Amino acid sequence: MATGSALFALPGIGGSYWTTFFPAMAVLGLGMAVSVAPLTTTVMSAAESEHAGTASGINNAISRVAGMLAIALLGAVAVGVFGAALDRRLSELQVPPEIRRALNAEVPEFAESKGASTDRGRATADA
């Protein structure tokens, strides 16, 4: 699963789905198949039959919380890496300090994924 997740960092712009995202999805799916089912079987086998519902609920809750924490931590890492890369590029381009400070203050906003805005299209048309 970790290898599949790491493969998602490799795709660049312009590649086809089959050569960029499909290999990562296939490896991630294979990793999940070989780890999630045996883990669930182990948890359910360890619980007595009258506690099967509780064991299943705890297993599902922990998997959801772990996924949520992983996404949150990876998001924090991504913002940190993005900020460091931006700072390095701004240094290479010799951007004035006041502009660098303003851009670095906006790093968390740059990291947010927002869809295309229809207002932007209208503003362009009016300009």
Side-chain angles (χ1 to χ4, degrees), residues 55-82:
S56 177
I58 291 171
N59 185 47
N60 287 333
I62 288 175
S63 71
R64 299 307 181 265
V65 170
M68 179 184 63
L69 287 175
I71 289 170
L73 291 175
L74 288 175
V77 168
V79 169
V81 169
F82 176 77

Side-chain angles (χ1 to χ4, degrees), residues 33-97:
V34 300
S35 64
V36 173
L39 177 61
T40 301
T41 301
T42 302
V43 168
M44 296 307 292
S45 297
E48 296 177 14
S49 61
E50 63 266 9
H51 299 295
T54 303
S56 177
I58 291 171
N59 185 47
N60 287 333
I62 288 175
S63 71
R64 299 307 181 265
V65 170
M68 179 184 63
L69 287 175
I71 289 170
L73 291 175
L74 288 175
V77 168
V79 169
V81 169
F82 176 77
L86 176 65
D87 198 39
R88 187 179 66 249
R89 286 290 291 155
L90 292 175
S91 293
E92 290 172 4
L93 296 171
Q94 299 176 351
V95 174

